[in-house]
Amino acid sequence: MGNSFRRQPGPTLYDDLKTPVTEDLRLIGLLFAFVIIAFSFILIIPGIRGIERMWATIRVFVALWIGAVILVCNFGSWYYNKICTRVQYKAHVHPVSTPQLIQAEIGLSIGLRGINITLIEKSCGYPVGHNGVNRKLQDDDDDYDYYDHRPFPGEEINYNEQFSWADPWAQGRLDFGIYGGKYNQEFRAAKYRGVPYPIMNIAEHFTLDGEKIRWYRKFRVAGWYTHILLWPFDATGLLDIWCNHQE
């Protein structure tokens, strides 16, 4: 039993468990904080007498709802779209070989503080040969199925990558070094980590800053001013709750 589940001759080793992040923990924490406040108020509702109980409940829950919506808008996503298509998975292929295309769902989410790109392998209804190469379906082709034979059967293609331009919000120089913007630095780090080609191809469009292609600059500036204007609304809501409580 001492040698069970071991890779000879070393000690027990476990493979890395790499799973994509499917939820935004920061948003969940903010919403959980509002739920705690609402639950705390529910506990003290019996101590309020008369018709004031109803009006106090309405004021507090409306204020909490508005505050939660504002925070979700500040840290969440404003634009989202996805497409299911055939795409090249790996950026570097052998010069004489045909790049194998995968069928995957690619999603892009844009918020005030950055973008989030997802890549999930799934069947999109394109015919695929048994050799794993996507080709156009011919009338005399009988060996085609609909993605039952994946080009990379030993690899789970499920990625969720985030690229941020906030904290700090500075534009930075037009490079990828220490003086570049935060987004450009995260883009270069993703290249070193070997992030799949479809994600890097989309993210690269936000690194351009010239020839009227300045998506990164425009989204960053818009996100900066919008999040600055959203914070006073939260402060005003808390002040409103406090003033009503004093009455």
Side-chain angles (χ1 to χ4, degrees):
M1 294 295 295
N3 293 329
S4 300
F5 310 106
R6 296 181 181 272
R7 296 179 180 179
Q8 301 295 339
T12 302
L13 298 177
Y14 299 95
D15 294 332
D16 293 338
L17 182 59
K18 299 180 180 180
T19 57
V21 179
T22 57
E23 302 295 340
D24 192 335
L25 297 181
R26 180 167 50 185
L27 274 181
I28 294 177
L30 292 174
L31 294 177
F32 186 69
F34 279 93
V35 171
I36 292 177
I37 297 175
F39 181 76
S40 302
F41 180 77
I42 292 175
L43 296 179
I44 66 174
I45 285 179
I48 305 176
R49 299 180 179 180
I51 193 66
E52 182 63 25
R53 177 185 301 175
M54 181 184 68
W55 295 117
T57 303
I58 294 176
R59 287 198 301 264
V60 171
F61 277 97
V62 169
L64 289 176
W65 168 256
I66 295 175
V69 170
I70 292 175
L71 283 180
V72 169
C73 292
N74 201 338
F75 292 93
S77 301
W78 287 58
Y79 298 99
Y80 176 76
N81 203 348
K82 62 181 180 180
I83 184 175
C84 194
T85 183
R86 291 180 295 187
V87 67
Q88 179 180 337
Y89 176 55
K90 296 184 178 182
H92 302 287
V93 296
H94 196 274
V96 299
S97 64
T98 302
Q100 291 181 320
L101 305 180
I102 65 170
Q103 297 185 24
E105 181 182 88
I106 305 175
L108 173 61
S109 177
I110 304 177
L112 300 181
R113 302 169 180 273
I115 66 174
N116 196 83
I117 307 174
T118 58
L119 176 68
I120 304 175
E121 186 180 23
K122 63 185 300 185
S123 176
C124 300
Y126 295 100
V128 184
H130 288 293
N131 57 357
V133 179
N134 294 263
R135 296 187 301 176
K136 186 177 179 180
L137 181 62
Q138 304 294 333
D139 296 335
D140 56 349
D141 284 333
D142 297 329
D143 63 337
Y144 271 75
D145 54 33
Y146 286 89
Y147 215 58
D148 290 335
H149 298 268
R150 301 165 54 207
F152 304 94
E155 185 170 353
E156 180 182 1
I157 302 177
N158 189 350
Y159 291 86
N160 189 347
E161 296 291 333
Q162 184 178 28
F163 300 89
S164 174
W165 51 65
D167 303 322
W169 291 80
Q171 175 70 26
R173 296 181 182 176
L174 189 59
D175 58 38
F176 302 92
I178 60 175
Y179 298 106
K182 182 179 180 181
Y183 182 92
N184 287 7
Q185 295 181 18
E186 292 187 358
F187 178 80
R188 184 178 68 170
K191 276 191 172 182
Y192 285 130
R193 288 189 287 110
V195 173
Y197 175 73
I199 296 179
M200 298 304 298
N201 188 21
I202 296 176
E204 187 177 9
H205 287 77
F206 291 85
T207 63
L208 306 177
D209 192 46
E211 300 295 335
K212 297 183 180 180
I213 304 178
R214 294 182 172 180
W215 295 346
Y216 164 58
R217 179 185 294 269
K218 293 179 179 179
F219 277 113
R220 183 190 60 82
V221 173
W224 161 257
Y225 285 108
T226 304
H227 105 279
I228 286 296
L229 293 176
L230 285 176
W231 280 119
F233 284 102
D234 269 331
T236 305
L238 294 175
L239 183 62
D240 178 69
I241 295 176
W242 183 80
C243 292
N244 290 328
H245 178 71
Q246 295 299 317
E247 294 178 0

